Amino acid sequence: METTDLTPHISSRFNDDLEAVRASLLRMGGLVEDQLRKCLSALSEADSARAAEVVRDDEHVNLLEVGIDEACLRILATRAPAARDLRLIVAITKAITDLERVGDEARKIAQISLRLATLERPADRYREIRHLGRLVEDMLHEALDAFARMDAEAALRVPQLDRQVDEEYESMQRQCVTFMMEDPRQIRRMLDITWAARALERVGDHAKNIAEYVIYMVHGQDVRHTRLEEVESRLRGRAGAREP
Amino acid sequence: MWVFAAARLIATIAIGLIAGFAAGRLWLGLAIALSLHVVWQLTKLYRLDHWLRHRGLMDPPVLRGVWDDVVTQVARIHRRKRHHKQRLATVLRELRESTDAMPDGVVALDARGGIAWFNRMAAQILHLQGRRDIGVRIDNLIRQPQFARHLEDGEGSAPLLLHVCETPETWLSLQLLPYGEGRRLLLIRDVTRQTRLETMRKDFVANASHELRSPLTVISGYLEMLATDPALDAAHAPPLAEMRRQADRMAAIIGDLLVLSRLEAKDEQPEGEPVDVGAMLALLRKDVLSRPQHPALVSLAIETQDQLKGDELELHSAFANLVDNAAKYTPADGHIEMRWWSDTQGAHCSVTDTGPGIPAAAIPRLTERFYRVDAGRSRATGGSGLGLAIVKHVLQRHGGRLEIASTEGRGSTFTCHFPPGRVLAAVRRV
C-alpha cells in the first residue's frame, strides 16, 4: 500500500498537487488510449468519420501535454521536491512527451485509414494490423496501470511484450513485401499498411519508455538502454539486499 | 480483601515497631519492615505487568490478596473484548462472503474517488489486485474519458455503457450511487447480452423496413400504371383506388419506421444549429390551411423570438407530426392553437386542439409504437401509428420532454419542453 501512496508530507497541499498532476497524466493517458482504440477501429471498419474525429481530437492531447508540463514546472519551482517526489515529477514530464507522441502516431494511423477507407477493404479486415494493435494497446494499458499503481513489477512485463511486438512487426513487413511482389497494383495500399504497422511499433516503444519511468520512479534506477535480463537481475539484487 | 490488605499492613508496622523496640531502635525497625513490604508489593506489581505484556502466551499469575482481584478483573475484560472481536470478525466475514457472491461488481469509493473496498466480481472484471489497489483513485485505473466525465457529473445520472481494456468484448454498465458523506458506490454490471439483443432488434427493424420498401415501390408503380390504363374495366376502378391508398399508407408506415430507427441509431444529441421555431410553425400552419378539409380556425401565437439549437429536420418532423395529429382529429368547426414561448425553465411549444380528446388511461401509452386509443381511429385517420413515438425520440435527443394533457370531449394539448441550454436568446433589434 505504501507503494501507491505518495510519501506523506507536512504540507498536505503539496501532496494534493502531486496527486493532481499524476491524475491528470493518467487522464491524458486515458485519452491517448481512447485515440489509439478509435484509430484502430476506424482502420479495420473503414470508418472515415471516426478517423476524422481522431485527427481532430489530437489537439486535446497536445493541449493536455502543455498543461501538465506547466503544472510540473510550477511544482519544481515552488516546492523544490526531493528524492521520490522529484523522481515522480521527472517521470511525469518524460511520460507526457511519450504520450503526446503516441497521440501523434494515432493521428497518423487515422490519416492512413482515411486514405484506405476510399479503397476496397481486404477480406480479412487487416487481421495482422488488428492483432498488432491489440498487443500495443495492451502494452500501453499495462504501462499506465503500472504508473497508477506505482508497480515496478508490472512495469517489468511491458518490455517483454515489446519483443513480441517487434517480432510481429518484422513478420508483417515480410508479408507486405511478398504481397507487393505478387501484385504491384497493391503497392500503394501495402505501403500505407506498412506505415500503420510502423506507427504501432513506435507506440510500443513509447509504452516501453513509460514502463521504464515507472521503474525509475519506484527504485530510482535508470534502466534505459539496458538488456531486460540485466534489469531484472539488478532489481532482484536490490530487493534482496534490502531484506536482511 | 481490602480488609486483609489493611490488616497485613498494620501487622507489618506492628512487627517493625516491636522488633525496633526490642533492638532499641524503634524507627529503624519500622523503616526496615516498611521497605520489605514495599519490595514485596513491587515484585507482585512486576509480575502483573509482565503478565499483561505477554498476556497471549501466559496463564494469569497467582499473586494472592488484592492483586488476585485485579488479575481476575483484567482477565474478564480481556475475555469480553476477545469475544466482541470474534463476533465482529464473523459479521464482517459473512458480509464479505455475501457481497462476493453478488453477480455484479461493487466498488466503494471515498470522497476523492479512491478505492475503499471492492468485491470479488469487481476485482475480476477490472483486474483489481487485492490490497494493492486500496486507495488508488478509480479514474487512474478506468481511464476512459467518458468515465472521467461521468465521475465529475456526479451521481444520479444514467448508467454509463463502456468497454474496459481488460475485457474488450464485454459491455459494462457503470452506475454511481451516493452514500455517506461524499462517498460513492460504483456498480458494475455485465450487459453484453442485453446490448447485443437491443442492437439486433434495432438492426432487424431497420433492415426489415428497407427490404419491404423495394417490393412496395414495384407494387405501387404497377398500380399507378393500371389505374391510368384507359382499357381498364370501369368495375375495377374502385378496388384499384383502394389498393393504391393502402399501398401509400404502407409506404408511410415504412417511412416512419425508418425515421425511428435512424433516430435510435444516433445516440448523440445533435449539435446545435439555431432553428427558427416560429417560422417553422408558421409554415406548418399554412400547410394545414391548404388541406382540402381543415378546421375553421388555426391560430398561431409566437411569444418569443428565441431560437432553438438542434437538428432542423428532426424538429420539423416532430412539430409536423403534432400539428398533423391535431388537424386530423379536429372537426371542421374546431380550433387549433399553436404556441411558442420561453421562460426561465426553457422554451416550450404547444399544440392544442378541440378534438375528441384522449381517455386518461391511454395517455401514458400514447408514445408507444403502433398504440391505438381504439381500433376505429386508425382506420378513420390512416396514420402510421408511429408519429408520437417519433416526437418522443426527437425530444429525447434534444434533452426535452413531451407533456400531454387532455379532457375527453373537449380536446388535447401536446406541449414540447426544451431545456434552457438549448435556447438561443434572440438578439434584440435596436
Side-chain angles (χ1 to χ4, degrees), chain B residues 5 14 47 50 57 88 93 106 110 148 177 215 260 297 389 393 410 417:
Chain B
R47 283 176 66 195
H50 187 71
L57 308 171
L88 216 65
R93 201 177 52 239
V106 184
D110 60 25
L177 304 165
L260 255 182
L297 185 57
H393 263 89
R410 295 185 56 185
H417 299 283

PDB file of all heavy atoms in Angstrom, chain B residues 5 14 47 50 57 88 93 106 110 148 177 215 260 297 389 393 410 417:
ATOM      1  N   ALA B   5      -5.703  -6.716  53.320  1.00  0.00           N
ATOM      2  CA  ALA B   5      -4.539  -5.924  52.918  1.00  0.00           C
ATOM      3  C   ALA B   5      -4.188  -4.918  54.014  1.00  0.00           C
ATOM      4  O   ALA B   5      -3.014  -4.762  54.387  1.00  0.00           O
ATOM      5  CB  ALA B   5      -4.825  -5.208  51.603  1.00  0.00           C
ATOM      6  N   ALA B  14       3.322  -3.189  63.015  1.00  0.00           N
ATOM      7  CA  ALA B  14       3.428  -3.629  64.420  1.00  0.00           C
ATOM      8  C   ALA B  14       4.696  -4.436  64.641  1.00  0.00           C
ATOM      9  O   ALA B  14       5.459  -4.185  65.582  1.00  0.00           O
ATOM     10  CB  ALA B  14       2.200  -4.455  64.787  1.00  0.00           C
ATOM     11  N   ARG B  47       5.286  -8.743  38.427  1.00  0.00           N
ATOM     12  CA  ARG B  47       4.747  -9.967  37.819  1.00  0.00           C
ATOM     13  C   ARG B  47       3.443  -9.679  37.069  1.00  0.00           C
ATOM     14  O   ARG B  47       3.202 -10.214  35.992  1.00  0.00           O
ATOM     15  CB  ARG B  47       4.513 -11.018  38.895  1.00  0.00           C
ATOM     16  CG  ARG B  47       5.824 -11.674  39.317  1.00  0.00           C
ATOM     17  CD  ARG B  47       5.605 -12.642  40.433  1.00  0.00           C
ATOM     18  NE  ARG B  47       4.808 -13.794  40.045  1.00  0.00           N
ATOM     19  CZ  ARG B  47       4.254 -14.617  40.928  1.00  0.00           C
ATOM     20  NH1 ARG B  47       4.392 -14.394  42.212  1.00  0.00           N
ATOM     21  NH2 ARG B  47       3.559 -15.648  40.521  1.00  0.00           N
ATOM     22  N   HIS B  50       4.350  -7.947  33.824  1.00  0.00           N
ATOM     23  CA  HIS B  50       4.924  -8.926  32.907  1.00  0.00           C
ATOM     24  C   HIS B  50       3.816  -9.754  32.245  1.00  0.00           C
ATOM     25  O   HIS B  50       3.819  -9.966  31.030  1.00  0.00           O
ATOM     26  CB  HIS B  50       5.874  -9.827  33.688  1.00  0.00           C
ATOM     27  CG  HIS B  50       6.642 -10.755  32.813  1.00  0.00           C
ATOM     28  ND1 HIS B  50       7.642 -10.313  31.971  1.00  0.00           N
ATOM     29  CD2 HIS B  50       6.555 -12.101  32.621  1.00  0.00           C
ATOM     30  CE1 HIS B  50       8.137 -11.343  31.306  1.00  0.00           C
ATOM     31  NE2 HIS B  50       7.495 -12.431  31.671  1.00  0.00           N
ATOM     32  N   LEU B  57       0.476 -15.309  25.829  1.00  0.00           N
ATOM     33  CA  LEU B  57       1.289 -16.525  25.943  1.00  0.00           C
ATOM     34  C   LEU B  57       1.211 -17.170  27.314  1.00  0.00           C
ATOM     35  O   LEU B  57       1.523 -18.340  27.467  1.00  0.00           O
ATOM     36  CB  LEU B  57       2.760 -16.179  25.650  1.00  0.00           C
ATOM     37  CG  LEU B  57       2.999 -15.422  24.354  1.00  0.00           C
ATOM     38  CD1 LEU B  57       4.425 -14.931  24.256  1.00  0.00           C
ATOM     39  CD2 LEU B  57       2.662 -16.308  23.169  1.00  0.00           C
ATOM     40  N   LEU B  88     -17.478  -9.591  15.778  1.00  0.00           N
ATOM     41  CA  LEU B  88     -17.356  -8.582  14.725  1.00  0.00           C
ATOM     42  C   LEU B  88     -16.707  -9.186  13.485  1.00  0.00           C
ATOM     43  O   LEU B  88     -17.138  -8.963  12.351  1.00  0.00           O
ATOM     44  CB  LEU B  88     -16.500  -7.431  15.244  1.00  0.00           C
ATOM     45  CG  LEU B  88     -16.932  -6.062  14.768  1.00  0.00           C
ATOM     46  CD1 LEU B  88     -18.297  -5.737  15.334  1.00  0.00           C
ATOM     47  CD2 LEU B  88     -15.907  -5.029  15.207  1.00  0.00           C
ATOM     48  N   ARG B  93     -16.882 -11.173   8.055  1.00  0.00           N
ATOM     49  CA  ARG B  93     -16.597 -12.224   7.094  1.00  0.00           C
ATOM     50  C   ARG B  93     -17.862 -12.594   6.326  1.00  0.00           C
ATOM     51  O   ARG B  93     -17.853 -12.752   5.117  1.00  0.00           O
ATOM     52  CB  ARG B  93     -16.034 -13.442   7.810  1.00  0.00           C
ATOM     53  CG  ARG B  93     -15.267 -14.349   6.860  1.00  0.00           C
ATOM     54  CD  ARG B  93     -14.634 -15.533   7.550  1.00  0.00           C
ATOM     55  NE  ARG B  93     -15.575 -16.274   8.345  1.00  0.00           N
ATOM     56  CZ  ARG B  93     -15.431 -16.476   9.666  1.00  0.00           C
ATOM     57  NH1 ARG B  93     -14.404 -15.966  10.297  1.00  0.00           N
ATOM     58  NH2 ARG B  93     -16.313 -17.184  10.325  1.00  0.00           N
ATOM     59  N   VAL B 106     -18.988  -4.477  -7.279  1.00  0.00           N
ATOM     60  CA  VAL B 106     -19.229  -3.319  -6.429  1.00  0.00           C
ATOM     61  C   VAL B 106     -17.887  -2.755  -5.988  1.00  0.00           C
ATOM     62  O   VAL B 106     -17.027  -3.489  -5.519  1.00  0.00           O
ATOM     63  CB  VAL B 106     -20.029  -3.695  -5.166  1.00  0.00           C
ATOM     64  CG1 VAL B 106     -20.349  -2.448  -4.374  1.00  0.00           C
ATOM     65  CG2 VAL B 106     -21.278  -4.443  -5.522  1.00  0.00           C
ATOM     66  N   ASP B 110     -14.064   6.504  -1.872  1.00  0.00           N
ATOM     67  CA  ASP B 110     -14.087   7.548  -0.842  1.00  0.00           C
ATOM     68  C   ASP B 110     -14.294   8.912  -1.505  1.00  0.00           C
ATOM     69  O   ASP B 110     -14.508   9.002  -2.713  1.00  0.00           O
ATOM     70  CB  ASP B 110     -12.820   7.510   0.012  1.00  0.00           C
ATOM     71  CG  ASP B 110     -11.570   7.715  -0.813  1.00  0.00           C
ATOM     72  OD1 ASP B 110     -11.678   8.330  -1.893  1.00  0.00           O
ATOM     73  OD2 ASP B 110     -10.496   7.268  -0.390  1.00  0.00           O
ATOM     74  N   ALA B 148     -14.335   9.516 -16.866  1.00  0.00           N
ATOM     75  CA  ALA B 148     -13.899  10.678 -16.085  1.00  0.00           C
ATOM     76  C   ALA B 148     -15.011  11.722 -16.055  1.00  0.00           C
ATOM     77  O   ALA B 148     -15.315  12.304 -15.015  1.00  0.00           O
ATOM     78  CB  ALA B 148     -12.637  11.260 -16.699  1.00  0.00           C
ATOM     79  N   LEU B 177     -23.651   5.388  -7.238  1.00  0.00           N
ATOM     80  CA  LEU B 177     -24.696   5.642  -6.256  1.00  0.00           C
ATOM     81  C   LEU B 177     -24.058   6.327  -5.053  1.00  0.00           C
ATOM     82  O   LEU B 177     -23.066   5.835  -4.526  1.00  0.00           O
ATOM     83  CB  LEU B 177     -25.324   4.320  -5.800  1.00  0.00           C
ATOM     84  CG  LEU B 177     -25.880   3.449  -6.917  1.00  0.00           C
ATOM     85  CD1 LEU B 177     -26.138   2.050  -6.410  1.00  0.00           C
ATOM     86  CD2 LEU B 177     -27.155   4.060  -7.455  1.00  0.00           C
ATOM     87  N   PRO B 215     -40.070  -3.974 -52.755  1.00  0.00           N
ATOM     88  CA  PRO B 215     -41.242  -4.604 -53.385  1.00  0.00           C
ATOM     89  C   PRO B 215     -42.455  -3.683 -53.402  1.00  0.00           C
ATOM     90  O   PRO B 215     -43.212  -3.680 -54.376  1.00  0.00           O
ATOM     91  CB  PRO B 215     -41.511  -5.827 -52.510  1.00  0.00           C
ATOM     92  CG  PRO B 215     -40.593  -5.762 -51.379  1.00  0.00           C
ATOM     93  CD  PRO B 215     -39.537  -4.785 -51.658  1.00  0.00           C
ATOM     94  N   LEU B 260     -37.650   6.378 -37.401  1.00  0.00           N
ATOM     95  CA  LEU B 260     -37.460   5.988 -35.995  1.00  0.00           C
ATOM     96  C   LEU B 260     -36.152   5.246 -35.791  1.00  0.00           C
ATOM     97  O   LEU B 260     -35.411   5.525 -34.855  1.00  0.00           O
ATOM     98  CB  LEU B 260     -38.607   5.085 -35.562  1.00  0.00           C
ATOM     99  CG  LEU B 260     -39.656   5.705 -34.666  1.00  0.00           C
ATOM    100  CD1 LEU B 260     -40.675   4.652 -34.299  1.00  0.00           C
ATOM    101  CD2 LEU B 260     -39.024   6.271 -33.410  1.00  0.00           C
ATOM    102  N   LEU B 297     -60.551  27.361 -37.634  1.00  0.00           N
ATOM    103  CA  LEU B 297     -59.666  28.353 -37.041  1.00  0.00           C
ATOM    104  C   LEU B 297     -58.332  27.693 -36.671  1.00  0.00           C
ATOM    105  O   LEU B 297     -58.295  26.729 -35.910  1.00  0.00           O
ATOM    106  CB  LEU B 297     -60.333  28.917 -35.780  1.00  0.00           C
ATOM    107  CG  LEU B 297     -59.610  30.064 -35.092  1.00  0.00           C
ATOM    108  CD1 LEU B 297     -59.403  31.219 -36.055  1.00  0.00           C
ATOM    109  CD2 LEU B 297     -60.376  30.493 -33.861  1.00  0.00           C
ATOM    110  N   ALA B 389     -44.301   8.412 -31.308  1.00  0.00           N
ATOM    111  CA  ALA B 389     -43.027   7.784 -30.946  1.00  0.00           C
ATOM    112  C   ALA B 389     -41.875   8.600 -31.525  1.00  0.00           C
ATOM    113  O   ALA B 389     -40.846   8.819 -30.876  1.00  0.00           O
ATOM    114  CB  ALA B 389     -42.977   6.353 -31.456  1.00  0.00           C
ATOM    115  N   HIS B 393     -38.898  10.562 -29.420  1.00  0.00           N
ATOM    116  CA  HIS B 393     -37.473  10.330 -29.660  1.00  0.00           C
ATOM    117  C   HIS B 393     -36.738  11.619 -29.995  1.00  0.00           C
ATOM    118  O   HIS B 393     -35.637  11.856 -29.517  1.00  0.00           O
ATOM    119  CB  HIS B 393     -37.286   9.309 -30.780  1.00  0.00           C
ATOM    120  CG  HIS B 393     -37.070   7.933 -30.271  1.00  0.00           C
ATOM    121  ND1 HIS B 393     -38.096   7.083 -30.019  1.00  0.00           N
ATOM    122  CD2 HIS B 393     -35.938   7.282 -29.922  1.00  0.00           C
ATOM    123  CE1 HIS B 393     -37.615   5.950 -29.556  1.00  0.00           C
ATOM    124  NE2 HIS B 393     -36.308   6.044 -29.478  1.00  0.00           N
ATOM    125  N   ARG B 410     -63.365  17.456 -25.036  1.00  0.00           N
ATOM    126  CA  ARG B 410     -63.063  18.887 -25.171  1.00  0.00           C
ATOM    127  C   ARG B 410     -61.791  19.151 -25.954  1.00  0.00           C
ATOM    128  O   ARG B 410     -61.632  20.218 -26.543  1.00  0.00           O
ATOM    129  CB  ARG B 410     -62.957  19.515 -23.783  1.00  0.00           C
ATOM    130  CG  ARG B 410     -64.308  19.454 -23.081  1.00  0.00           C
ATOM    131  CD  ARG B 410     -64.295  20.164 -21.785  1.00  0.00           C
ATOM    132  NE  ARG B 410     -63.877  21.548 -21.917  1.00  0.00           N
ATOM    133  CZ  ARG B 410     -63.690  22.347 -20.877  1.00  0.00           C
ATOM    134  NH1 ARG B 410     -63.848  21.879 -19.667  1.00  0.00           N
ATOM    135  NH2 ARG B 410     -63.333  23.588 -21.061  1.00  0.00           N
ATOM    136  N   HIS B 417     -41.330  20.507 -24.144  1.00  0.00           N
ATOM    137  CA  HIS B 417     -40.495  21.336 -23.285  1.00  0.00           C
ATOM    138  C   HIS B 417     -39.033  21.129 -23.663  1.00  0.00           C
ATOM    139  O   HIS B 417     -38.578  19.992 -23.750  1.00  0.00           O
ATOM    140  CB  HIS B 417     -40.679  20.952 -21.822  1.00  0.00           C
ATOM    141  CG  HIS B 417     -42.082  21.135 -21.344  1.00  0.00           C
ATOM    142  ND1 HIS B 417     -42.597  22.370 -21.046  1.00  0.00           N
ATOM    143  CD2 HIS B 417     -43.073  20.243 -21.128  1.00  0.00           C
ATOM    144  CE1 HIS B 417     -43.862  22.215 -20.659  1.00  0.00           C
ATOM    145  NE2 HIS B 417     -44.173  20.939 -20.711  1.00  0.00           N
TER     146      HIS B 417
END
